[in-house]
Amino acid sequence: MYNSGLNTGHENSGVVGSILVPVRFIWPNGGRRVSLSGSFTRWSEPMPMSPSEGCPAVFQIICRLPPGHHQYKFYVDGEWRHDENQPHVSGNYGVVNCVYIAVPQPDMVPNTISPETSGNMEVDDVVMRPVLMFVLRETAWCRMINVKTTFREDYLDRTFEGFAQYSEADLQLSRDRISSFLSTHTVYELLPDSGKVTALDVNLAVKQAFHVLYEQGLPMVPLWDDFKGRFVGVLSALDFILILREPVNIQLGTNGSNLTEEELETHTISAWKVGKLQLNLKRQMDGNGRPCPRPLVQAGPYDSLKEVALKILQNKVATVPIIHSTGPAGSCQEILYLASLSDILKCICRHFKHSSSSLPILQQPVSSIQLGTWVPRIGEANGRPFAMLRPTASLGSALALLVQADVSSIPIVDDNDSLLDIYSRSDITALAKDKAYAQIHLDEMNIHQALQLGQDANPSLGFNGQRCQMCLRSDPLHKVMERLANPGVRRLVIVEAGSKRVEGIISLSDVFRFLLGV
Amino acid sequence: MQIPNLSWMQTSSGYEDMGDGVGIPTMITWSHDGCEVAVEGSWDNWKTRIALQRSGKDFTIMKVLPSGVYQYRFLVDGLWKYAPDLPSTQDDDGNVYNILDLQEYVPDDLESISSFEPPQSPETSYNNLQLTAEDFAKEPPLVPPHLQMTLLNVPASYMEIPPPLSRPQHVVLNHLYMQKGKSGPSVVALGSTHRFLAKYVTVVLYKSMQR
């Protein structure tokens, strides 16, 4: 009889970011114009209440309140009145009604107000949010209704279990704020006070390049071409994975599985890059139908952070060289920095850390927003299969999986799917230790041994927890963002508390796609 | 006004999220009229109100905070005010707050550092004689010792998060350094430190030596 849907005509938000519970206020004692004022409106402008259908003497309004104690009073036809039959106290404003809103739980039986509950009719609430209904006072025209809130299973997606469902308005507000922040700040702010950039000449041999990456601990380097006088590309861990895997290079005319040491020594980066084009990877055709190299994805120091973030996401790269071009037609290039999404995220976190209420979406647990890649649950339709490997799997299969699944890391799990370690593309540089790459066969070394190589070289990284950062599904988004903002952390593995069973992965690009709405 | 980072640990303020980062001492000043001035800020989520101390016409307080962006406002004789001469922002309800953007380092003030000005060319003429074989037989002049203070010789750190480089001395800027043979028999590393606006960039380029 009474419309139990959410009538959010008169919303009044409490502290942004906390849970707001819709509450219906009833004035059953008649009148012509009735409005409501309370501690939740700071006792200012009263909110007009509307007469109920079929019971014109009963006025109602639904407000969204945070949990806690509230006081309220009704303004009826020019006079302040309180409802005698509801709990009331004497306060600063005379006698006021008071109400306590509990933090909502599913399957909660409401009724924190009036104990009079005779004459019941169970009404199943078919809304997604828990709604506390005040018990209506019996009048000559109306029946008493006792309402129990339940969650209907079909409205609950099991993957998104947070009881604090976020509103679209919160999400849009957060996205707008972040977008305007990113548009007004430039890459110059990301630059450290005193930074260091390593670059390689494109005519350097691949083997020496490998060693430089390993010694300096770099995941990628920009490539400088002396002849052209500019930066032409980058060399990253993925290149080494491909070099080790693919039979080499059609230009040199050699065949066979792995590159021998001499071949690596003479094979220059530029020759490799040309050969790579013929491997059908990220190929673009120029006007004559010949494959042409992908232009270097770069940015300038005065570009806005939003442009750079979108560039990174659209081109699916991890790092963008920041190049300052001066001189005629930008012919003189000065490299300043290698920017990645984690730098931008750090900037965002730093700026909004102390005003968290301005980004309400950040308080939501990550399980309730569509973020990251999750292991499909039993009974759910299989979306993208989730890549995981045992430590006994061969290195060759790991590298194959990295390339085919187009992911940057694979969790290494034991038989119970509990997280042990993580193998990322950048771990490939550990093979440079003692020139392991020339002596191993990819299919004979397993992942565990490959990770050992890396740990021997960098003893400070021996501790497992530092290598793979973890989080829980109930962690709020701002906590996940702060962890990802640490340099060197590009992904978080979502684990189950206690058992460390892998439930999903959230990467930097997932977070940015969500925040920017792309 | 900021005092350069002395790696202080947090001292007097007892709020929760000081665990992340060293505290940087910073001064908050109210230079407009008033009898009693206090300040509240987002550094502890607006929980405490701190009275400023009067010194002459100004009211000041020293706070130790980790690097970040904070909002704050002043309570002057019972009224909420913001300092119009300091950076400020307005929220959705129309309230205006001052903004404090606390960096970990004090950026160079480009207008005030005279060493950014290149020195004038010395007053000489270009009529020196060419160098002869005798000159080459002599010892070359010594490298000025301050050029040893280049950032390029800072050992590569194997930590996951390398510590930030210190700010280079201005004397090593725009000099080219060379390192031979460390990364391989025919590999040479060329390094140089430049200034870009108020930031410093050290670039190392690895090239192969060709015959």
Side-chain angles (χ1 to χ4, degrees), chain A residues 40 118 382:
Chain A
F40 37 90
S118 53
N382 272 350

Side-chain angles (χ1 to χ4, degrees), chain B residues 100-113:
Chain B
L100 172 65
D101 189 346
L102 197 53
Q103 305 274 1
E104 277 151 1
Y105 53 88
V106 181
D108 273 337
D109 184 5
L110 292 177
E111 279 118 48
S112 75
I113 298 193

Side-chain angles (χ1 to χ4, degrees), chain A residues 78-231:
Chain A
E79 200 188 348
W80 283 102
R81 295 173 60 184
H82 66 277
D83 190 347
E84 303 281 344
N85 297 307
Q86 303 288 338
H88 51 272
V89 293
S90 268
N92 294 337
Y93 301 83
V95 182
V96 295
N97 287 111
C98 52
V99 61
Y100 173 72
I101 313 290
V103 176
Q105 308 286 337
D107 281 332
M108 177 162 57
V109 180
N111 187 20
T112 53
I113 299 277
S114 168
E116 282 138 78
T117 57
S118 53
N120 313 333
M121 177 179 90
E122 297 272 357
V123 170
D124 230 18
D125 236 39
V126 296
V127 293
M128 281 176 21
R129 308 172 70 108
V131 176
L132 268 186
M133 303 285 282
F134 283 37
V135 171
L136 302 179
R137 187 171 166 267
E138 190 169 60
T139 68
W141 298 277
C142 316
R143 285 169 50 192
M144 183 80 72
I145 295 180
N146 183 346
V147 175
K148 191 165 99 117
T149 63
T150 53
F151 275 127
R152 286 268 290 264
E153 274 297 294
D154 21 276
Y155 282 90
L156 253 196
D157 186 349
R158 271 183 306 125
T159 316
F160 309 132
E161 277 167 6
F163 59 75
Q165 297 275 343
Y166 61 93
S167 70
E168 278 302 309
D170 277 351
L171 178 61
Q172 198 51 50
L173 177 68
S174 311
R175 279 186 177 159
D176 288 342
R177 289 227 167 101
I178 288 189
S179 176
S180 91
F181 168 75
L182 289 178
S183 306
T184 47
H185 290 252
T186 62
V187 170
Y188 180 72
E189 285 185 36
L190 300 180
L191 267 56
D193 187 35
S194 175
K196 185 172 174 185
V197 180
T198 305
L200 300 183
D201 187 290
V202 84
N203 288 317
L204 198 63
V206 164
K207 173 186 165 191
Q208 270 132 11
F210 210 168
H211 277 281
V212 168
L213 282 195
Y214 170 67
E215 277 158 23
Q216 302 294 320
L218 303 166
M220 68 95 91
V221 282
L223 298 171
W224 168 260
D225 188 332
D226 234 2
F227 185 68
K228 293 183 187 161
R230 56 186 168 88
F231 289 94

